[in-house]
Amino acid sequence: MSIPTVFFWSLLALAAVLFLYAARALPRALRAEPGARTDPWLTFADHALSIPPPVALALGEGEAAFYAMLLLGPVLTWSLVRSFRSAAAAKATG
């Protein structure tokens, strides 16, 4: 699969930005207290696992991008479940 040069560089720039976000999220996840570790680690995993799909697409590997998205799916699903549960808990107490 051949993609235009502008999309190639745009996808690589997106991957670089995601790498910077993952690097910023890692210290926060490492410093998290025992009661609040899930959210920082989910944020780090989200950013870190978001890097391979644009790189794979930039290299023209659609199948590799698909499998990378499969790895990202459970992280995004669990983040969504946690946000719904926290919103329901906040609504119940407030």
Side-chain angles (χ1 to χ4, degrees):
M1 177 170 81
S2 178
I3 63 168
T5 305
V6 69
F7 293 126
F8 173 80
W9 289 111
S10 298
L11 288 169
L12 287 183
L14 174 64
V17 168
L18 289 169
F19 178 77
L20 292 175
Y21 282 137
R24 286 182 56 202
L26 182 60
R28 183 172 170 241
L30 291 173
R31 287 191 314 258
E33 296 295 321
R37 288 188 184 180
T38 306
D39 285 334
W41 279 107
L42 279 174
T43 301
F44 170 72
D46 179 15
H47 294 311
L49 291 175
S50 295
I51 297 169
V55 171
L57 287 174
L59 298 175
E61 296 292 332
E63 188 174 346
F66 172 74
Y67 289 119
M69 292 299 288
L70 285 179
L71 293 174
L72 186 59
V75 173
L76 294 176
T77 302
W78 190 245
S79 295
L80 185 65
V81 167
R82 285 187 55 85
S83 69
F84 284 152
R85 289 176 66 191
S86 66
K91 190 175 183 181
T93 59

